[in-house]
Amino acid sequence: MKLLNSGKISYSSIMVSWEKSQAANFGAYRIFFDTITGVSESSPLGGTVYWIDSTQFELSGLSPSTEYYIKVFVTSGTVSASSNEIKVTTE
């Protein structure tokens, strides 16, 4: 699964988009973020999306003029796979 470049960016939110998962046993998309590179499942959780066709999420409650690193994880049964990591700066 590939995390795409961000969409709408404001001073407190970032619209995140990704390619649809092809996982046979899809569970959820989990969006994690941090202010340092190397986002993992122990980083702050931005949100969870349970519908496989939903490939966007607005990460909100962010600080202005701050660099964020974002990664999406797909859970499939007990296994988790991650996307690439992107860096985005709020306005």
Side-chain angles (χ1 to χ4, degrees):
M1 182 197 53
K2 182 178 179 182
L3 182 57
L4 307 173
N5 289 330
S6 63
K8 183 183 94 178
I9 300 171
S10 74
Y11 69 94
S12 65
S13 68
I14 299 168
M15 183 60 77
V16 181
S17 301
W18 56 87
E19 292 178 349
K20 181 179 171 180
S21 171
Q22 300 302 311
N25 193 17
F26 175 82
Y29 299 109
R30 301 180 75 213
I31 301 91
F32 291 88
F33 69 100
D34 212 329
T35 54
I36 56 172
T37 190
V39 173
S40 70
E41 289 180 286
S42 4
S43 300
L45 175 64
T48 303
V49 177
Y50 294 101
W51 182 249
I52 193 167
D53 291 326
S54 294
T55 57
Q56 288 188 339
F57 181 82
E58 186 170 8
L59 193 55
S60 59
L62 305 176
S63 298
S65 303
T66 304
E67 260 185 8
Y68 288 98
Y69 295 86
I70 305 165
K71 194 181 267 193
V72 176
F73 288 78
V74 174
T75 59
S76 178
T78 58
V79 178
S80 181
S82 69
S83 70
N84 54 307
E85 182 176 281
I86 61 169
K87 178 176 76 170
V88 183
T89 304
T90 51
E91 294 181 344

